[in-house]
Amino acid sequence: MIAAANVAKRVWTEAELQALPEEGCLHELVNGELVMSPKNDFYHGDICSQLLTAITIFVKARRLGAVLDSSTGFWMRNQNCRAPDISFIPKARLISLGFARSTRKFFPGAPDLAVEILSPNNTRTEIGERLKDFFGSGTQIAWIVNPEAECVEVCYSPDKRKLLGAGSSLDGEHLLPGFQYPIADLFKEWDW
């Protein structure tokens, strides 16, 4: 991600963030600075859409909650506004916060499941900061998908992690009971 060089640190309102022009970048707020990252490449988008679709179909069939894409803003407890590639929030949490499908504001807190698909420009430090924000604001599990190494890091905290290779499957655990997705399927070539 690239911090905007000409934007001074200040307090941003949700309305200001929502009103930012679509300039081919995704916007987040980190430590008072507007942070922009370029749109992702084809491979990133394909991995994201495959996993997003699988989780959405699973969640909708069981009425478990909401699955959201990277255009959704989440207010972290430290006032950072993050946007994971894929997010899941259970129905009970949505109801307790009064969120409906038509709610027109950012979510107060992190998703229970946050999924990040690494891009070539992501750094280990940046991902570590994202995980601190997520887990400090309500995330229970994070999946860090690494397309280059064809593996997924399953995180239960910023420090408690396990690495799964292509022979393993993603498991929804207590958040998505019964959900399984073969990691190899995230990276295999299309069969046109």
Side-chain angles (χ1 to χ4, degrees):
M1 289 191 173
I2 305 162
N6 61 350
V7 179
K9 287 185 180 183
R10 66 181 181 95
V11 176
W12 287 76
T13 68
E14 188 166 317
E16 289 171 319
L17 289 173
Q18 288 180 342
L20 288 170
E22 179 63 38
E23 300 169 322
C25 292
L26 301 171
H27 300 94
E28 289 186 322
L29 185 63
V30 180
N31 300 324
E33 290 185 31
L34 185 62
V35 177
M36 298 180 293
S37 60
K39 295 287 186 186
N40 292 302
D41 63 27
F42 188 87
Y43 191 38
H44 183 285
D46 185 60
I47 292 169
C48 190
S49 66
Q50 294 294 325
L51 189 53
L52 178 75
T53 300
I55 296 170
T56 299
I57 289 169
F58 183 87
V59 166
K60 285 186 94 170
R62 291 158 184 81
R63 300 176 56 152
L64 296 176
V67 181
L68 305 158
D69 71 1
S70 64
S71 65
T72 307
F74 291 84
W75 283 116
M76 303 292 107
R77 288 191 179 128
N78 61 5
Q79 298 307 305
N80 285 347
C81 186
R82 297 287 192 176
D85 289 318
I86 303 170
S87 303
F88 167 71
I89 306 165
K91 179 171 45 177
R93 188 168 174 212
L94 293 165
I95 291 169
S96 73
L97 292 170
F99 265 68
R101 183 171 186 248
S102 58
T103 300
R104 304 294 261 173
K105 59 183 180 177
F106 296 161
F107 193 80
D112 294 68
L113 172 65
V115 181
E116 292 286 355
I117 295 131
L118 297 180
S119 297
N121 62 338
N122 288 127
T123 67
R124 197 79 173 141
T125 300
E126 175 195 346
I127 295 302
E129 292 302 313
R130 295 178 78 76
L131 289 174
K132 285 180 192 172
D133 281 359
F134 293 156
F135 285 103
S137 301
T139 293
Q140 297 178 46
I141 300 172
W143 295 339
I144 309 298
V145 179
N146 186 334
E148 297 300 318
E150 296 190 356
C151 63
V152 177
E153 198 169 9
V154 178
C155 308
Y156 302 98
S157 75
D159 302 318
K160 184 179 177 191
R161 307 175 185 194
K162 67 180 177 182
L163 190 63
L164 301 177
S168 301
S169 290
L170 290 171
D171 185 326
E173 303 186 34
H174 66 284
L175 293 176
L176 304 171
F179 178 82
Q180 294 283 314
Y181 194 92
I183 290 173
D185 286 0
L186 291 171
F187 311 113
K188 71 180 179 183
E189 282 297 320
W190 288 349
D191 182 9
W192 299 96

